[in-house]
Amino acid sequence: MHMVLRHGTIVTATDIYQADIGIHNGLVALIGRDLHGDSILDADGRYVFPGAIDPHTHLELDSMDTVSADDFYTGTVAAACGGTTTIIDYAEQSQGGTLRDALQAWRDKAENKAVVDYGFHVSITDATEEVLTEMQEMVTQGVPSFKCYLAYPEKLTDAELLRVLLRAREIGAVVNVHCENGSLVDFMTDRLLQEGKTEPRWHPRSRPASFETEATQRAVTLAEIAEAPLYVVHLTCAEALKAAKRARASGRPILVETCPQYLLLDVERYDEPDFGGAKYVMSPPLRERWNQQVLWNGLVVGDIDVIGTDHCPFNLVGQKDIGRDDFSKIPNGMPGVETRVPLLYHEGVNKGRISLNRFVELVATNPARIFGLLPQKGTIAVGSDADLVVWDPDKEMTLSVENLHMNVDYSPYEDVTVRGYPEIVLSRGKVIVRDNHFQGQAGSGRFLRRKPFVA
Ligand code: URP
Ligand code: ZN
């Protein structure tokens, strides 16, 4: 045995027990008592979680005349320091381009930089017949999930989304949908700007919860017609959740993701002075606070399956400030890949809202199951990759741009103190983080070929 992780309390989506973990050739080789190995890592008094999976990141994304501030090195270092050992990033089809080119472009961005394992979803922005045919090749290449936008210039029409859903069903893929009514957003944005309403606080008014709810209902309806699985990305509000819930009640494979920002931050953030509201300009926007309780309930009762991040950071200085005189020009997105797991642990587990098992399920096991990575990732079992997090439940950390690793000049959670933080993080059996210091190697992350979707 190369290494033994000794005396930790192992937590999976279903179990909590104390045992040693024997690691050999990057895999969990044995789980038992009194194991011996070439080296020993002591985990006494700490939890051992499966490395978390963030199924929603945008690293090095060209967006609104700039590029998201984390590349595959800084973004995955930050992920690892926060306990995330797998990401699934979005490769974007360019207008008129092929899915093959999109996937290759993103694989090239990641190859020599990523420090944790990674997969890709491919976003379909141009749903031609050729592209629908090409979807099969993506599944064969280990990309069994596609994204469609109902907002932004890349938005698909209803008929186009329906075609993608029908095709996805045939080939064992799931379609991730960004649910906002883009035509209404465009109309409302123009109207607000014409009225001279240009500050960040008008961003949420340009895309209210009702626009998200309508688009969520529409995506659900189209998925029902196609009898295809649907994964609603970054759901923010009570009414949209209701729409998804109704379809789930009739047995449809409708899966729902939310993000920490929608559980913890609210629309009042846009009123921060001195252009501070720009920090939270993302789509969909933060909502009124009362929605948060509904989302937490959804996590508890199982109406929400996954916590992702939608990590898409832009610096306040030099990027967000492109939109100082026009909120619609502020690059959309926020940092989050490093803080997701500690925030959910602190706000969820410490505050008694969710159990330890449910926590692991939301940040690791469900993303692995839905996106074709289980049992290689997302759990701790003999034969799984030794992507492991030794978690110190007593470690307090005050989150700040000073001690976080994301390559961005602000933290939306500046000065928030969490209790519970990764002490050691292993990627395929190698220690890559110790006490918030990264000690792995650029390019050590591998491209993951994921399995087709199973309902
Ligand atoms: O504002 C956001 N969410 N930016 C990233 C792209 C997306 O919509 O997911
Ligand atoms: Zn996104």
Side-chain angles (χ1 to χ4, degrees):
M1 204 74 65
H2 288 150
M3 187 190 280
V4 170
L5 201 51
R6 187 169 280 173
H7 295 161
T9 300
I10 297 172
V11 185
T12 67
T14 48
D15 298 304
I16 304 180
Y17 59 102
Q18 200 181 42
D20 300 344
I21 300 176
I23 298 167
H24 198 77
N25 288 338
L27 302 178
V28 173
L30 208 55
I31 301 174
R33 300 258 177 207
D34 303 322
L35 303 186
H36 296 279
D38 301 338
S39 64
I40 303 290
L41 280 179
D42 176 38
D44 203 1
R46 267 86 90 224
Y47 292 124
V48 183
F49 298 142
I53 299 173
D54 187 343
H56 192 154
T57 64
H58 299 281
L59 300 179
E60 223 176 309
L61 173 71
D62 284 290
S63 174
M64 299 173 81
D65 296 328
T66 187
V67 183
S68 61
D70 269 314
D71 66 11
F72 275 84
Y73 179 72
T74 61
T76 54
V77 166
C81 290
T84 291
T85 53
T86 301
I87 62 161
I88 311 179
D89 201 80
Y90 282 90
E92 305 284 320
Q93 180 197 11
S94 55
Q95 283 295 312
T98 63
L99 305 185
R100 197 174 307 124
D101 288 346
L103 178 59
Q104 192 56 52
W106 257 259
R107 286 194 64 175
D108 290 346
K109 291 184 202 208
E111 192 170 7
N112 296 315
K113 291 185 183 157
V115 307
V116 299
D117 293 349
Y118 53 92
F120 296 106
H121 316 279
V122 176
S123 301
I124 297 177
T125 60
D126 198 9
T128 60
E129 273 309 314
E130 295 75 40
V131 164
L132 294 175
T133 307
E134 222 193 336
M135 285 169 68
Q136 170 73 72
E137 186 187 324
M138 293 298 103
V139 176
T140 309
Q141 301 240 355
V143 178
S145 48
F146 299 89
K147 186 184 202 181
C148 298
Y149 293 95
L150 293 178
Y152 298 141
E154 300 85 3
K155 62 182 170 290
L156 299 192
T157 64
D158 296 349
E160 286 168 337
L161 175 56
L162 182 55
R163 276 193 218 112
V164 172
L165 286 160
L166 286 163
R167 181 79 177 128
R169 186 195 163 196
E170 277 172 14
I171 61 176
V174 58
V175 183
N176 307 354
V177 182
H178 175 127
C179 297
E180 288 184 290
N181 184 319
S183 312
L184 292 180
V185 171
D186 294 345
F187 171 84
M188 197 59 98
T189 303
D190 288 347
R191 200 161 92 163
L192 290 166
L193 291 173
Q194 274 163 23
E195 291 168 359
K197 296 170 174 164
T198 60
E199 301 94 339
R201 71 194 175 92
W202 297 104
H203 171 73
R205 277 82 177 174
S206 72
R207 39 206 329 144
S210 57
F211 293 6
E212 180 185 344
T213 303
E214 184 281 327
T216 307
Q217 180 57 63
R218 189 153 35 99
V220 165
T221 302
L222 294 172
E224 286 177 328
I225 293 168
E227 296 185 21
L230 173 77
Y231 179 91
V232 178
V233 295
H234 50 42
L235 184 139
T236 73
C237 59
E239 291 301 311
L241 184 58
K242 223 185 255 176
K245 225 173 124 168
R246 266 198 302 270
R248 285 162 72 105
S250 56
R252 293 288 172 207
I254 309 291
L255 303 152
V256 176
E257 170 196 274
T258 190
C259 309
Q261 55 268 32
Y262 303 119
L263 294 164
L264 303 173
L265 308 176
D266 68 58
V267 69
E268 290 182 15
R269 296 281 175 144
Y270 294 105
D271 294 329
E272 282 189 12
D274 303 325
F275 197 60
K279 290 187 263 186
Y280 313 99
V281 167
M282 68 194 127
S283 298
L286 302 176
R287 301 299 187 195
E288 287 179 28
R289 181 178 284 270
W290 63 268
N291 288 282
Q292 294 174 2
Q293 188 53 48
V294 178
L295 297 183
W296 278 111
N297 283 345
L299 292 171
V300 173
V301 302
D303 292 335
I304 299 178
D305 305 282
V306 169
I307 308 277
T309 62
D310 197 13
H311 176 80
C312 191
F314 296 98
N315 288 304
L316 264 179
V317 178
Q319 293 192 294
K320 290 274 187 188
D321 55 8
I322 296 167
R324 192 168 274 280
D325 300 320
D326 176 348
F327 70 82
S328 74
K329 295 198 165 60
I330 300 171
N332 275 218
M334 215 183 75
V337 76
E338 189 171 2
T339 48
R340 173 185 68 136
V341 178
L343 283 169
L344 190 68
Y345 181 87
H346 184 72
E347 292 290 335
V349 178
N350 285 348
K351 296 195 175 170
R353 288 163 158 147
I354 53 172
S355 70
L356 266 176
N357 300 112
R358 182 73 177 139
F359 160 76
V360 167
E361 189 168 44
L362 288 164
V363 300
T365 316
N366 277 353
R369 182 180 295 124
I370 293 166
F371 293 116
L373 289 170
L374 200 69
Q376 181 188 357
K377 307 282 190 191
T379 192
I380 300 175
V382 171
S384 299
D385 284 355
D387 287 5
L388 301 167
V389 179
V390 179
W391 185 268
D392 181 348
D394 299 319
K395 179 171 174 175
E396 292 210 346
M397 177 86 154
T398 300
L399 304 174
S400 163
V401 75
E402 302 299 327
N403 56 25
L404 294 168
H405 299 77
M406 297 174 283
N407 185 35
V408 59
D409 63 2
Y410 74 97
S411 167
Y413 305 101
E414 190 70 30
D415 288 335
V416 169
T417 298
V418 293
R419 184 162 42 81
Y421 217 78
E423 181 177 299
I424 299 172
V425 178
L426 292 98
S427 168
R428 277 182 278 103
K430 291 228 157 50
V431 174
I432 58 168
V433 176
R434 214 183 260 271
D435 294 327
N436 207 30
H437 293 292
F438 176 69
Q439 53 186 61
Q441 289 217 318
S444 59
R446 289 188 194 152
F447 171 62
L448 295 165
R449 291 176 192 277
R450 298 182 288 116
K451 291 175 286 190
F453 178 84
V454 182

